[in-house]
Amino acid sequence: MNNKEGNNKKSGARANSSRPSSNKPKPAMQKRAQGPKKVKVTTKVAEVATDKVEKKPNQAPKRPKVKDEIRLNKYIANSGACSRRDADIYIQSGTVKVNGIPVTEMGYMVKPGDVVNFDGSTLTPEKKVYILLNKPKNFTTAMDEGQEYRNVLELVKGSTTAKIGAVGRMDKNTTGLLLFTNDTDMIRKFTLPSQKSSKIYQVSLDKNLKFEDLEKINKGLTLDGHRVFVEDVSYIDGEAKSEIGLQLRSSNVKVVRNIFEHFSYDVLRIDRVSFAGLTKKNLPRGNWRLLTDQEIINLKNV
């Protein structure tokens, strides 16, 4: 019995053992590959490095800025030749030379002493000048109305040596605020149909304006196939109903006249009392003044 039991115990021990025991060390598990993460990081670094090296077409290489240097398109605009946008077109076409060498790079910087040739002419940039005039009657912005009416430039003669021009047009019978500048970008800005600055006019009619006509004007109307949006129209307090205040965005005085003639009224006088926030305060008829720095900033931000 004892021998059998002993044998059974030994055989049972062997049966319950799933695998023979071994003192050999187990092999270490392999670590997960970290390759993909390193590849991604390397790729991003490579991309950044590539972006730094590659230059966009027509882009001037970066270099330390020289004192008093100026972008080529701004230099051209400051000379009064054209606007910055048009200057970019001339530069791309290869008709602009700096020191005798054609320049087609956008953002090219002109240094003091550089000679810029624009379409065959040497340019001289001017400092920007902004002059506000309270225009009297019998002066016009047109250059071809003969000797009977004088040009408005006579009224600002001596104010500057820069070549300035009027922003918008005014006929001989229109009075009030008229802006002059050699800033071609600003002239273009305020003469575009899409510009958003308000102008206020006092209009004198040959007869009282009917209330129903005032309401029709206030709703806006179509003139010569173009929609005219009126911001406000009203009678002037303390005046006859033939004296009307009109606010709209157009700087074309002809539009003001056409609005009332559309309803069979004759316009006797038009006086612009406000232009893009500028007023006639302390500016008598026939006088002019230079704009303040803040007024210039306001005009540019309109």
Side-chain angles (χ1 to χ4, degrees):
M1 287 291 295
N2 292 338
N3 290 336
K4 289 181 180 180
E5 288 178 1
N7 292 334
N8 290 339
K9 287 179 181 179
K10 290 179 182 180
S11 60
R14 292 191 191 100
N16 292 335
S17 176
S18 59
R19 57 184 176 181
S21 59
S22 173
N23 293 329
K24 293 182 180 180
K26 296 180 181 180
M29 293 182 65
Q30 293 183 354
K31 294 183 180 180
R32 292 183 180 178
Q34 301 296 322
K37 290 185 179 180
K38 292 182 179 180
V39 172
K40 289 183 179 179
V41 174
T42 305
T43 304
K44 289 183 179 179
V45 172
E47 289 177 355
V48 172
T50 305
D51 291 341
K52 289 183 179 179
V53 174
E54 290 181 357
K55 292 185 297 182
K56 295 180 180 179
N58 293 332
Q59 184 179 14
K62 291 185 178 180
R63 57 180 175 78
K65 187 174 182 180
V66 180
K67 183 181 179 181
D68 297 328
E69 68 179 358
I70 184 175
R71 282 181 176 270
L72 180 57
N73 61 352
K74 185 176 181 181
Y75 186 99
I76 296 171
N78 288 355
S79 70
C82 64
S83 67
R84 284 198 200 185
R85 183 177 298 179
D86 291 338
D88 287 337
I89 298 174
Y90 280 99
I91 293 171
Q92 289 177 324
S93 68
T95 58
V96 179
K97 296 180 180 179
V98 179
N99 301 326
I101 302 173
V103 174
T104 58
E105 295 176 354
M106 306 307 298
Y108 184 90
M109 305 299 288
V110 178
K111 301 182 294 295
D114 285 346
V115 178
V116 179
N117 188 281
F118 175 81
D119 203 23
S121 301
T122 301
L123 300 182
T124 303
E126 296 177 324
K127 181 182 178 181
K128 291 291 183 273
V129 179
Y130 306 88
I131 299 170
L132 187 65
L133 169 72
N134 188 351
K135 176 188 169 301
K137 289 182 65 175
N138 297 327
F139 286 84
T140 176
T141 55
M143 304 294 290
D144 56 354
E145 292 195 12
Q147 300 298 321
E148 184 179 0
Y149 302 107
R150 297 154 67 184
N151 190 273
V152 289
L153 288 173
E154 296 181 30
L155 298 169
V156 293
K157 187 177 181 180
S159 60
T160 179
T161 57
K163 185 179 179 181
I164 58 176
V167 178
R169 296 179 180 179
M170 272 195 178
D171 58 33
K172 63 183 180 65
N173 291 323
T174 303
T175 58
L177 297 179
L178 183 61
L179 182 64
F180 294 85
T181 183
N182 59 342
D183 187 340
T184 54
D185 288 330
M186 183 168 290
I187 292 176
R188 182 178 180 274
K189 172 181 177 178
F190 283 107
T191 51
L192 284 174
S194 59
Q195 57 88 34
K196 300 179 180 180
S197 63
S198 295
K199 291 87 180 174
I200 301 176
Y201 301 88
Q202 181 173 343
V203 184
S204 301
L205 305 177
D206 63 327
K207 55 187 175 183
N208 292 343
L209 178 66
K210 296 178 182 179
F211 181 76
E212 54 265 33
D213 291 337
L214 183 144
E215 287 293 296
K216 291 177 183 177
I217 294 172
N218 196 39
K219 292 178 181 178
L221 63 158
T222 301
L223 299 175
D224 299 327
H226 298 283
R227 185 69 176 171
V228 178
F229 295 96
V230 176
E231 295 180 324
D232 191 25
V233 59
S234 62
Y235 300 114
I236 297 177
D237 293 339
E239 301 284 349
K241 294 191 182 300
S242 59
E243 296 294 321
I244 309 300
L246 180 70
Q247 180 176 334
L248 71 168
R249 293 179 178 178
S250 176
S251 60
N252 188 350
V253 179
K254 186 179 179 181
V255 173
V256 178
R257 188 178 299 277
N258 290 346
I259 288 175
F260 294 97
E261 290 180 348
H262 180 77
F263 294 95
S264 301
Y265 294 91
D266 289 334
V267 177
L268 304 180
R269 288 179 299 277
I270 300 176
D271 185 39
R272 184 189 282 159
V273 298
S274 176
F275 180 92
L278 303 172
T279 68
K280 297 191 296 180
K281 184 179 180 181
N282 300 325
L283 188 62
R285 189 82 73 199
N287 288 23
W288 59 267
R289 68 172 179 84
L290 295 173
L291 296 190
T292 65
D293 291 340
Q294 186 59 54
E295 287 173 332
I296 296 170
I297 292 172
N298 293 343
L299 285 181
K300 290 182 177 181
N301 290 333
V302 170

